[in-house]
Amino acid sequence: MKRTLHELREYALSLVDDIEFTWNGIHGLIVPYNRQKFILTVNDPDGLSEEFHDIDELLTAHLLDGHSLAEVCEKADFWR
């Protein structure tokens, strides 16, 4: 499923469920604990996992081969 950046942002802020995605061979998982705690896990060779304290910080972090979720959102495939 494709999502716009606005849709991804609103879904993450709804705190309904974890959000899985793939982009350019990268598998990622966003875990929204609350509006001040989001975990992004990226299954790359380093097994990167990072905590963010607001949604905009998460969306603009350059953790996907030097790209941010904001940059690749509409090209990624989401499961939720």
Side-chain angles (χ1 to χ4, degrees):
M1 162 191 320
K2 299 293 184 186
R3 291 190 182 269
T4 66
L5 180 58
H6 177 75
E7 289 170 336
L8 176 59
R9 186 179 197 286
E10 293 304 309
Y11 192 74
L13 287 172
S14 74
L15 309 175
V16 172
D17 208 348
D18 297 350
I19 304 165
E20 287 186 76
F21 66 92
T22 57
W23 171 78
N24 199 30
I26 296 171
H27 177 251
L29 176 68
I30 301 167
V31 181
Y33 286 96
N34 58 52
R35 288 180 175 247
Q36 291 80 39
K37 182 179 179 183
F38 299 88
I39 303 292
L40 173 61
T41 301
V42 178
N43 292 334
D44 64 13
D46 299 324
L48 177 68
S49 184
E50 192 158 330
E51 182 175 327
F52 299 93
H53 300 286
D54 84 20
I55 189 67
D56 293 320
E57 184 182 12
L58 166 75
L59 294 174
T60 59
H62 292 270
L63 299 176
L64 306 171
D65 284 342
H67 299 279
S68 69
L69 275 168
E71 294 170 334
V72 305
C73 178
E74 295 185 19
K75 298 173 192 155
D77 292 310
F78 292 91
W79 284 288
R80 292 197 171 84

